[in-house]
Amino acid sequence: MAPSSPPQTPPSAVVIVLFLLFSTALLCESRLSLDYYSKTCPSFTKIMQDTITNKQITSPTTAAGALRLFFHDCLPNGCDGSILISSTAFNKAERDADINLSLPGDPFDLIVRAKTALELACPNTVSCSDILAVATRDLVTMLGGPYYNVYLGRKDSRVSSASSLEGKLPKPTMSMSQLINLFSSSGFTVQEMVALSGAHTIGFSHCKEFSSNISNDTHYNPRFAQALKQACSGYPNNPTLSVFNDIMTPNKFDNLYYQNLPKGLGLLESDHGLYGDPRTKPFVELYARDQNKFFQDFAKAMQKLSVYGIKTGRRGEIRHRCDAVN
């Protein structure tokens, strides 16, 4: 009697096993964690803290600039560091889109410094998008804002196109319905939008973003409107002229931005809209009277934004330089 041959595994079962193995490997590679660099780059946290502290001390506007840079990177197409890529002769990158031309240079410089130090310590390990996410959180905390967890393991985008931003970033002249729809299209609620708007508690806006409204907008406090006209009187000849978003405590992360709005001390048309619209006004009033609630909701919204549209595994890369794809 001939020996029986071993049972054959059905082809479909082989396919299923391979698929499960591939999926598991992809999941492991794609998983974010708080200690993502603990083994591959043990000095990550110290290098980041040293670089961030030194930069903020020498350039105090870095924190507000980094927060804006992070927002402009994440909201349109996800937190992938695409805002950091420079344009070439063949491609106009995101950072050169009209809406991004006013982004300050200090946060870009901070990312370059951090990346240079990390490449020396742990070559080809830490992504530029992770650097930006951690730097933003740490700088907010340095100015008195809330601490929140930043999960690590993002990969950097291989592409950056100015045209991809169209209609994906808020503008000061947008109506409240337009702003709500813009945030909603990225999965953010009205309350999360109002909480994220609290970022205006630090930083400044250029006169060109609001000067045309000063005389026509009745929401301005009259004395404040007069002061703004004076401050921006030379703006046609000097487009770099700017005013603090929160004139009361411009270098402190607190809830005074919301307290300013009912007093007519909001700077941008969109600021006035937050207090004037019944969909957003209750949240403005809530955060104006309860800073802890603002901090709690801001931290949650920032944590949500920090993982929005991220690239992991093979969908992205670790750039050698943050301003250029490999």
Side-chain angles (χ1 to χ4, degrees), residues 240-254:
T240 62
L241 282 178
S242 55
V243 176
F244 287 121
N245 292 322
D246 171 6
I247 59 168
M248 308 305 286
T249 54
N251 296 312
K252 184 181 178 186
F253 199 98
D254 54 25

PDB file of all heavy atoms in Angstrom, residues 240-254:
ATOM      1  N   THR A 240       5.270  94.338   7.029  1.00  0.00           N
ATOM      2  CA  THR A 240       5.606  93.477   8.168  1.00  0.00           C
ATOM      3  C   THR A 240       4.988  93.979   9.475  1.00  0.00           C
ATOM      4  O   THR A 240       5.087  93.297  10.493  1.00  0.00           O
ATOM      5  CB  THR A 240       7.132  93.373   8.358  1.00  0.00           C
ATOM      6  OG1 THR A 240       7.660  94.676   8.645  1.00  0.00           O
ATOM      7  CG2 THR A 240       7.800  92.825   7.107  1.00  0.00           C
ATOM      8  N   LEU A 241       4.357  95.158   9.452  1.00  0.00           N
ATOM      9  CA  LEU A 241       3.749  95.681  10.671  1.00  0.00           C
ATOM     10  C   LEU A 241       2.701  94.716  11.205  1.00  0.00           C
ATOM     11  O   LEU A 241       1.900  94.167  10.447  1.00  0.00           O
ATOM     12  CB  LEU A 241       3.093  97.046  10.398  1.00  0.00           C
ATOM     13  CG  LEU A 241       4.025  98.264  10.323  1.00  0.00           C
ATOM     14  CD1 LEU A 241       3.232  99.513   9.990  1.00  0.00           C
ATOM     15  CD2 LEU A 241       4.775  98.441  11.638  1.00  0.00           C
ATOM     16  N   SER A 242       2.689  94.527  12.523  1.00  0.00           N
ATOM     17  CA  SER A 242       1.780  93.551  13.123  1.00  0.00           C
ATOM     18  C   SER A 242       1.351  93.992  14.512  1.00  0.00           C
ATOM     19  O   SER A 242       1.926  94.911  15.099  1.00  0.00           O
ATOM     20  CB  SER A 242       2.452  92.175  13.194  1.00  0.00           C
ATOM     21  OG  SER A 242       3.687  92.270  13.886  1.00  0.00           O
ATOM     22  N   VAL A 243       0.332  93.332  15.036  1.00  0.00           N
ATOM     23  CA  VAL A 243      -0.231  93.638  16.357  1.00  0.00           C
ATOM     24  C   VAL A 243      -0.463  92.318  17.084  1.00  0.00           C
ATOM     25  O   VAL A 243      -0.833  91.314  16.476  1.00  0.00           O
ATOM     26  CB  VAL A 243      -1.565  94.414  16.219  1.00  0.00           C
ATOM     27  CG1 VAL A 243      -2.202  94.639  17.592  1.00  0.00           C
ATOM     28  CG2 VAL A 243      -1.354  95.740  15.510  1.00  0.00           C
ATOM     29  N   PHE A 244      -0.271  92.318  18.405  1.00  0.00           N
ATOM     30  CA  PHE A 244      -0.507  91.122  19.204  1.00  0.00           C
ATOM     31  C   PHE A 244      -1.972  90.702  19.124  1.00  0.00           C
ATOM     32  O   PHE A 244      -2.876  91.534  19.180  1.00  0.00           O
ATOM     33  CB  PHE A 244      -0.127  91.349  20.670  1.00  0.00           C
ATOM     34  CG  PHE A 244       1.351  91.406  20.925  1.00  0.00           C
ATOM     35  CD1 PHE A 244       1.943  92.534  21.491  1.00  0.00           C
ATOM     36  CD2 PHE A 244       2.158  90.317  20.613  1.00  0.00           C
ATOM     37  CE1 PHE A 244       3.302  92.577  21.722  1.00  0.00           C
ATOM     38  CE2 PHE A 244       3.521  90.350  20.844  1.00  0.00           C
ATOM     39  CZ  PHE A 244       4.101  91.487  21.394  1.00  0.00           C
ATOM     40  N   ASN A 245      -2.208  89.388  19.020  1.00  0.00           N
ATOM     41  CA  ASN A 245      -3.580  88.868  19.001  1.00  0.00           C
ATOM     42  C   ASN A 245      -4.293  89.115  20.329  1.00  0.00           C
ATOM     43  O   ASN A 245      -5.493  89.392  20.359  1.00  0.00           O
ATOM     44  CB  ASN A 245      -3.574  87.360  18.706  1.00  0.00           C
ATOM     45  CG  ASN A 245      -3.131  87.057  17.296  1.00  0.00           C
ATOM     46  OD1 ASN A 245      -3.466  87.770  16.368  1.00  0.00           O
ATOM     47  ND2 ASN A 245      -2.372  85.986  17.128  1.00  0.00           N
ATOM     48  N   ASP A 246      -3.555  88.981  21.422  1.00  0.00           N
ATOM     49  CA  ASP A 246      -4.098  89.228  22.760  1.00  0.00           C
ATOM     50  C   ASP A 246      -3.296  90.377  23.356  1.00  0.00           C
ATOM     51  O   ASP A 246      -2.152  90.196  23.770  1.00  0.00           O
ATOM     52  CB  ASP A 246      -3.979  87.964  23.615  1.00  0.00           C
ATOM     53  CG  ASP A 246      -4.319  88.193  25.087  1.00  0.00           C
ATOM     54  OD1 ASP A 246      -4.761  89.308  25.436  1.00  0.00           O
ATOM     55  OD2 ASP A 246      -4.151  87.260  25.886  1.00  0.00           O
ATOM     56  N   ILE A 247      -3.887  91.572  23.387  1.00  0.00           N
ATOM     57  CA  ILE A 247      -3.123  92.758  23.811  1.00  0.00           C
ATOM     58  C   ILE A 247      -2.890  92.788  25.312  1.00  0.00           C
ATOM     59  O   ILE A 247      -2.062  93.561  25.791  1.00  0.00           O
ATOM     60  CB  ILE A 247      -3.831  94.060  23.374  1.00  0.00           C
ATOM     61  CG1 ILE A 247      -5.240  94.127  23.990  1.00  0.00           C
ATOM     62  CG2 ILE A 247      -3.874  94.161  21.859  1.00  0.00           C
ATOM     63  CD1 ILE A 247      -5.891  95.491  23.861  1.00  0.00           C
ATOM     64  N   MET A 248      -3.601  91.951  26.064  1.00  0.00           N
ATOM     65  CA  MET A 248      -3.493  91.984  27.524  1.00  0.00           C
ATOM     66  C   MET A 248      -2.302  91.162  28.023  1.00  0.00           C
ATOM     67  O   MET A 248      -1.496  91.636  28.815  1.00  0.00           O
ATOM     68  CB  MET A 248      -4.793  91.473  28.165  1.00  0.00           C
ATOM     69  CG  MET A 248      -6.046  92.167  27.658  1.00  0.00           C
ATOM     70  SD  MET A 248      -6.011  93.974  27.831  1.00  0.00           S
ATOM     71  CE  MET A 248      -6.254  94.139  29.590  1.00  0.00           C
ATOM     72  N   THR A 249      -2.201  89.912  27.585  1.00  0.00           N
ATOM     73  CA  THR A 249      -1.088  89.037  28.008  1.00  0.00           C
ATOM     74  C   THR A 249      -0.548  88.311  26.765  1.00  0.00           C
ATOM     75  O   THR A 249      -0.739  87.105  26.614  1.00  0.00           O
ATOM     76  CB  THR A 249      -1.560  88.004  29.053  1.00  0.00           C
ATOM     77  OG1 THR A 249      -2.700  87.285  28.514  1.00  0.00           O
ATOM     78  CG2 THR A 249      -1.979  88.667  30.343  1.00  0.00           C
ATOM     79  N   PRO A 250       0.135  89.031  25.873  1.00  0.00           N
ATOM     80  CA  PRO A 250       0.512  88.457  24.581  1.00  0.00           C
ATOM     81  C   PRO A 250       1.514  87.318  24.635  1.00  0.00           C
ATOM     82  O   PRO A 250       1.598  86.524  23.702  1.00  0.00           O
ATOM     83  CB  PRO A 250       1.100  89.657  23.827  1.00  0.00           C
ATOM     84  CG  PRO A 250       1.526  90.612  24.894  1.00  0.00           C
ATOM     85  CD  PRO A 250       0.559  90.436  26.008  1.00  0.00           C
ATOM     86  N   ASN A 251       2.263  87.215  25.723  1.00  0.00           N
ATOM     87  CA  ASN A 251       3.295  86.177  25.817  1.00  0.00           C
ATOM     88  C   ASN A 251       2.963  85.117  26.851  1.00  0.00           C
ATOM     89  O   ASN A 251       3.832  84.358  27.284  1.00  0.00           O
ATOM     90  CB  ASN A 251       4.652  86.808  26.156  1.00  0.00           C
ATOM     91  CG  ASN A 251       5.125  87.728  25.046  1.00  0.00           C
ATOM     92  OD1 ASN A 251       5.104  87.357  23.874  1.00  0.00           O
ATOM     93  ND2 ASN A 251       5.518  88.946  25.406  1.00  0.00           N
ATOM     94  N   LYS A 252       1.675  85.052  27.232  1.00  0.00           N
ATOM     95  CA  LYS A 252       1.245  84.058  28.211  1.00  0.00           C
ATOM     96  C   LYS A 252       0.073  83.279  27.639  1.00  0.00           C
ATOM     97  O   LYS A 252      -0.883  83.864  27.115  1.00  0.00           O
ATOM     98  CB  LYS A 252       0.827  84.741  29.511  1.00  0.00           C
ATOM     99  CG  LYS A 252       0.449  83.771  30.621  1.00  0.00           C
ATOM    100  CD  LYS A 252       0.025  84.514  31.875  1.00  0.00           C
ATOM    101  CE  LYS A 252      -0.396  83.543  32.977  1.00  0.00           C
ATOM    102  NZ  LYS A 252      -0.947  84.239  34.154  1.00  0.00           N
ATOM    103  N   PHE A 253       0.152  81.956  27.730  1.00  0.00           N
ATOM    104  CA  PHE A 253      -0.943  81.125  27.241  1.00  0.00           C
ATOM    105  C   PHE A 253      -1.996  81.034  28.338  1.00  0.00           C
ATOM    106  O   PHE A 253      -1.811  80.353  29.353  1.00  0.00           O
ATOM    107  CB  PHE A 253      -0.436  79.727  26.864  1.00  0.00           C
ATOM    108  CG  PHE A 253      -1.375  78.979  25.960  1.00  0.00           C
ATOM    109  CD1 PHE A 253      -1.174  78.945  24.593  1.00  0.00           C
ATOM    110  CD2 PHE A 253      -2.483  78.324  26.490  1.00  0.00           C
ATOM    111  CE1 PHE A 253      -2.060  78.270  23.757  1.00  0.00           C
ATOM    112  CE2 PHE A 253      -3.367  77.641  25.667  1.00  0.00           C
ATOM    113  CZ  PHE A 253      -3.160  77.617  24.298  1.00  0.00           C
ATOM    114  N   ASP A 254      -3.111  81.751  28.140  1.00  0.00           N
ATOM    115  CA  ASP A 254      -4.187  81.775  29.130  1.00  0.00           C
ATOM    116  C   ASP A 254      -5.527  81.939  28.413  1.00  0.00           C
ATOM    117  O   ASP A 254      -5.605  81.785  27.191  1.00  0.00           O
ATOM    118  CB  ASP A 254      -3.960  82.901  30.153  1.00  0.00           C
ATOM    119  CG  ASP A 254      -3.768  84.263  29.487  1.00  0.00           C
ATOM    120  OD1 ASP A 254      -4.254  84.447  28.345  1.00  0.00           O
ATOM    121  OD2 ASP A 254      -3.142  85.151  30.102  1.00  0.00           O
TER     122      ASP A 254
END
